[in-house]
Amino acid sequence: MTRKLVLASNNAGKLKEFNELLATVDFSAHPQGEFGVPEAEEPFFTFVENALAKARHASRLTGLPALADDSGVCVNALGGAPGVFSARYAGEPKSDARNNEKLVAELAKHEDKSAYYYCVLVFVRHADDPQPVIADGRWNGVMMPEPRGEGGFGYDPYFHVPELGKRAAELSKEEKNRLSHRGQALRALVEKLK
């Protein structure tokens, strides 16, 4: 019997990607908007604390098990920035164009352009679950000063994948899911849930 869980997101792409793998452990994810759950605050400085806060928030308001992720790009020369602030690196309102512009300007001062995408997934059985299931994934690359590719979102046009000689925005959906930080974290989470 398939069990329902709430995904602490309304991102349709994420929902589809998550459901493909969650089906193997008899879960079906439903976006929090389906239950009228507003976005949770993300006040923390670590990915795991933000993901846990989002999962507990969604579970508390629905009474269902919940899954949340927090992810971003971390640039080594910038001490891990933008990190948890990736979506709002250039301030409010959120803007991929302004975020990328700021990152390219910051990186121009540095020789080291190495970076990685990082993702943490947190699954809670209930809002006060004392043992959340946590999985993470890391995808190494290099930030480039000019964009390439039409796919993906966020920093993908600037995130170069050396082993493929392509930007994340140039990869097929299948390639990206296989390699990405989120794909890695999701596969690790599914193994733990088994």
Side-chain angles (χ1 to χ4, degrees):
M1 189 177 115
T2 302
R3 296 162 289 174
K4 188 185 278 193
L5 70 79
V6 60
L7 179 63
S9 171
N10 291 308
N11 182 311
K14 252 185 227 183
L15 184 69
K16 186 176 185 311
E17 185 183 335
F18 285 14
N19 269 324
E20 285 168 8
L21 274 171
L22 288 169
T24 65
V25 285
D26 299 322
F27 273 109
S28 100
H30 298 262
Q32 63 185 10
E34 192 176 298
F35 306 98
V37 175
E39 284 192 15
E41 293 292 316
E42 298 178 55
F44 301 107
F45 293 98
T46 67
F47 293 104
V48 71
E49 288 173 295
N50 284 326
L52 182 58
K54 290 192 277 190
R56 290 199 190 285
H57 172 77
S59 183
R60 184 163 287 113
L61 294 178
T62 62
L64 293 168
L67 174 62
D69 79 306
D70 198 35
S71 57
V73 70
C74 302
V75 179
N76 294 313
L78 304 179
V84 296
F85 304 107
S86 291
R88 295 172 177 83
Y89 191 46
E92 293 286 358
K94 291 192 260 189
S95 164
D96 287 350
R98 286 189 304 107
N99 289 340
N100 281 306
E101 192 177 293
K102 179 176 179 179
L103 186 58
V104 166
E106 292 284 327
L107 265 178
K109 308 168 198 164
H110 300 276
E111 202 170 300
D112 179 9
K113 310 283 192 227
S114 64
Y116 57 93
Y117 271 123
Y118 185 70
C119 174
V120 171
L121 291 174
V122 173
F123 172 83
V124 294
R125 291 171 267 290
H126 54 83
D128 299 316
D129 191 342
Q131 291 184 296
V133 180
I134 300 172
D136 68 346
R138 178 180 167 141
W139 188 19
N140 293 316
V142 178
M143 298 310 294
M144 302 302 273
E146 69 289 321
R148 277 198 345 224
E150 301 297 318
F153 58 92
Y155 300 90
D156 288 356
Y158 295 85
F159 187 81
H160 183 72
V161 184
E163 63 269 25
L164 299 178
K166 293 180 179 179
R167 305 291 165 76
E170 295 178 295
L171 303 179
S172 70
K173 196 169 65 104
E174 295 72 32
E175 281 178 307
K176 188 177 176 191
N177 288 347
R178 186 171 45 82
L179 297 170
S180 79
H181 52 309
R182 190 171 289 112
Q184 292 175 41
L186 187 53
R187 287 188 295 277
L189 181 80
V190 165
E191 284 308 308
K192 289 182 175 193
L193 291 176
K194 284 179 182 175

